[in-house]
Amino acid sequence: MTVTITTKPHEKPQTNGDVKRDHAAQVDGAQIRPTYDEGVNPVLETSKWAVEAIGLARPNEDGIRSAAKYIHAQMQRESYAPRTWRTHPLHICPAEPFSWKDPSTHACLNWIFLISSLNFSFWSELEGQHGRYGVEWREGWDSDRMVVHTGYWSLVAAIDRALEDGIPITDPAFYASETRCPDSLIEHVFRPAAQSTEGIPLLHERVRVLREVGVILCSDFGGSFCGFIEAFRRRYEDRGSALQLVKMVADTFPSFRDEHMYDRRRVYIWKRTQILVAEAWAAFYPEHASHPHPLFPAGARIHELTMFADYRVPQILHHLRILSYPPSLVKLLNTRTPLASGSPEELSIRAASIVAVERVRREILRIVADARRSGVDGGGEEDVDEAEDAVSSVVIDFYLWDLAKRVEGRPDGVEGIESAGMLPIHRTRSIWY
């Protein structure tokens, strides 16, 4: 079938090469972006610098040690692992055993890509109130009970509802085309529940992002995210890592380049870029960890990724005393003062969150190593990457985000650990998170 992709008359769809040249040229008056050694994540390296340079939000070592024990114990108790991703009732999961030829493989990859492309800015001034933006749909694919989903889950429910209604919203050739998928149809896909008094935030920006990523996938990768993954596998001869895939996404799609200038230096955050790769890693995580991962047969080295710096996880990090804020920043949060994207306050919170979760990860690795040395854990010899991947900032972030959603609206927050008062989330409207 031939698909016509409509763009504005004066615009030429960017090719992969164009995107890469733009990426290298975007210096904003500063030095050309530095290069980093293999396995070094610029998100972590530049965030470390930003925390010290800005001097506002900081990791709290006492809180990190306490929270690491708590998080590790809870994740073990709840058997929280990469395959926990498959248990969420709204997720679309690939069939098992895995096959590249199975239609569910393509469907899942396209679904994850679309969700990650639009995974930003769901906070509401009506949080906890009846009129907050929400989407009415089933509680999950296997449920007939209708509920109103809010926050991030409103996006997932809207996409799932559209698919159930026969709208091929996850097909890049469809959402790239203004003819087949006009703006009015996208607005219909995200229509709010009857009780909502507000619509989805940044609707026009979401439409723009859809058109951009759809055109790139159709121009350069055969019209699917599966085609992009195939290009990644060819580039690295099936030996590519999760971080290499993250960098390829950032090089290819401008709307995934969550990068900001501070004091003439570029700070990489890459929230949606990393979560796209992490979700794909989790969705296709093999039933037995000893089996090769289909996307990363030589090993994902998932420990090279950082947490995903949004507005919800920093809130729980401060509550668990993993982060400490100066009084000036606490005042801004308590008064719900909007923080501009890339401002020192906003960048400090996000950068400190990245550094702090990495320190939590390191502390959990120390706890695990101590337990093995003392004979508490009878695990045998492990490859270095396997041992590190067993405790990743990715899975810690998944757990903290789920924890934050569970205690949302609960006055006392998390129980069983010394905590600070629950501050409001920081309020930043942007496409980055």
Side-chain angles (χ1 to χ4, degrees), residues 53 66 94 134 212 393 400 430:
S66 172
E212 172 202 285
S393 291
L400 288 171
S430 79

Side-chain angles (χ1 to χ4, degrees), residues 318-396:
H318 179 269
H319 176 61
L320 295 176
R321 301 188 309 114
I322 295 170
L323 286 182
S324 62
Y325 296 159
S328 60
L329 188 52
V330 171
K331 182 179 179 181
L332 287 175
L333 297 176
N334 276 327
T335 55
R336 293 169 167 75
T337 302
L339 305 181
S341 178
S343 65
E345 295 83 3
E346 185 253 7
L347 194 57
S348 176
I349 290 172
R350 300 183 77 198
S353 297
I354 290 164
V355 174
V357 171
E358 174 63 18
R359 293 191 186 174
V360 168
R361 185 182 82 86
R362 291 289 178 183
E363 181 64 16
I364 293 177
L365 281 171
R366 186 193 65 77
I367 293 170
V368 171
D370 286 350
R372 285 183 175 166
R373 278 194 296 268
S374 65
V376 175
D377 187 332
E381 294 293 321
E382 284 185 291
D383 176 87
V384 173
D385 281 341
E386 287 179 358
E388 292 243 338
D389 275 359
V391 181
S392 67
S393 291
V394 166
V395 177
I396 294 171

Side-chain angles (χ1 to χ4, degrees), residues 284-332:
F284 291 89
Y285 197 85
E287 186 174 4
H288 302 287
S290 60
H291 293 176
H293 194 292
L295 275 64
F296 310 104
R301 304 203 298 274
I302 202 70
H303 65 274
E304 294 174 352
L305 303 194
T306 73
M307 61 83 70
F308 321 119
D310 62 359
Y311 51 82
R312 187 62 67 190
V313 174
Q315 181 189 41
I316 200 74
L317 292 176
H318 179 269
H319 176 61
L320 295 176
R321 301 188 309 114
I322 295 170
L323 286 182
S324 62
Y325 296 159
S328 60
L329 188 52
V330 171
K331 182 179 179 181
L332 287 175

Side-chain angles (χ1 to χ4, degrees), residues 219-262:
S219 298
D220 300 327
F221 302 102
S224 75
F225 187 54
C226 192
F228 183 88
I229 294 297
E230 289 171 357
F232 163 75
R233 293 170 58 209
R234 286 194 302 272
R235 175 183 291 187
Y236 293 101
E237 299 179 332
D238 263 343
R239 302 193 63 81
S241 69
L243 180 56
Q244 288 169 326
L245 181 55
V246 164
K247 291 177 178 178
M248 185 169 165
V249 170
D251 282 341
T252 304
F253 303 99
S255 58
F256 277 88
R257 289 182 208 144
D258 183 4
E259 305 167 7
H260 310 270
M261 300 304 297
Y262 182 80

Side-chain angles (χ1 to χ4, degrees), residues 63-351:
I64 286 170
R65 285 189 290 271
S66 172
K69 293 178 184 177
Y70 175 84
I71 292 167
H72 178 56
Q74 292 299 117
M75 288 173 65
Q76 285 190 312
R77 186 174 296 115
E78 299 175 22
S79 299
Y80 206 91
R83 285 179 65 87
T84 302
W85 190 93
R86 298 177 68 95
T87 67
H88 287 279
L90 293 177
H91 284 175
I92 289 181
C93 299
E96 292 183 314
F98 171 83
S99 170
W100 284 111
K101 295 180 180 180
D102 194 299
S104 70
T105 296
H106 293 244
C108 180
L109 285 170
N110 277 343
W111 183 88
I112 288 173
F113 181 79
L114 178 63
I115 294 291
S116 295
S117 297
L118 301 179
N119 184 2
F120 55 82
S121 202
F122 299 105
W123 62 268
S124 171
E125 296 294 354
L126 302 178
E127 187 168 320
Q129 300 180 39
H130 199 62
R132 180 184 182 181
Y133 172 74
V135 169
E136 186 175 13
W137 194 61
R138 294 192 279 150
E139 197 168 29
W141 283 103
D142 295 328
S143 172
D144 292 327
R145 180 170 175 261
M146 301 296 288
V147 297
V148 175
H149 302 271
T150 59
Y152 163 78
W153 294 114
S154 65
L155 166 67
V156 180
I159 298 302
D160 288 353
R161 179 179 62 183
L163 291 173
E164 186 176 58
D165 290 345
I167 301 172
I169 192 61
T170 57
D171 179 1
F174 179 75
Y175 58 71
S177 170
E178 295 180 27
T179 303
R180 297 179 61 201
C181 183
D183 292 3
S184 58
L185 179 58
I186 297 174
E187 186 173 2
H188 171 76
V189 166
F190 294 110
R191 64 192 181 278
Q195 68 187 44
S196 301
T197 59
E198 61 181 6
I200 189 170
L202 302 182
L203 175 62
H204 295 299
E205 287 79 359
R206 294 179 200 277
V207 173
R208 179 181 61 80
V209 168
L210 276 181
R211 306 297 190 205
E212 172 202 285
V213 299
V215 166
I216 292 172
L217 285 177
C218 290
S219 298
D220 300 327
F221 302 102
S224 75
F225 187 54
C226 192
F228 183 88
I229 294 297
E230 289 171 357
F232 163 75
R233 293 170 58 209
R234 286 194 302 272
R235 175 183 291 187
Y236 293 101
E237 299 179 332
D238 263 343
R239 302 193 63 81
S241 69
L243 180 56
Q244 288 169 326
L245 181 55
V246 164
K247 291 177 178 178
M248 185 169 165
V249 170
D251 282 341
T252 304
F253 303 99
S255 58
F256 277 88
R257 289 182 208 144
D258 183 4
E259 305 167 7
H260 310 270
M261 300 304 297
Y262 182 80
D263 196 19
R264 295 178 61 81
R265 288 187 62 172
R266 187 175 299 275
V267 180
Y268 300 78
I269 303 294
W270 285 353
K271 181 263 183 178
R272 290 192 294 106
T273 321
Q274 292 193 101
I275 204 170
L276 165 61
V277 174
E279 298 252 2
W281 168 76
F284 291 89
Y285 197 85
E287 186 174 4
H288 302 287
S290 60
H291 293 176
H293 194 292
L295 275 64
F296 310 104
R301 304 203 298 274
I302 202 70
H303 65 274
E304 294 174 352
L305 303 194
T306 73
M307 61 83 70
F308 321 119
D310 62 359
Y311 51 82
R312 187 62 67 190
V313 174
Q315 181 189 41
I316 200 74
L317 292 176
H318 179 269
H319 176 61
L320 295 176
R321 301 188 309 114
I322 295 170
L323 286 182
S324 62
Y325 296 159
S328 60
L329 188 52
V330 171
K331 182 179 179 181
L332 287 175
L333 297 176
N334 276 327
T335 55
R336 293 169 167 75
T337 302
L339 305 181
S341 178
S343 65
E345 295 83 3
E346 185 253 7
L347 194 57
S348 176
I349 290 172
R350 300 183 77 198

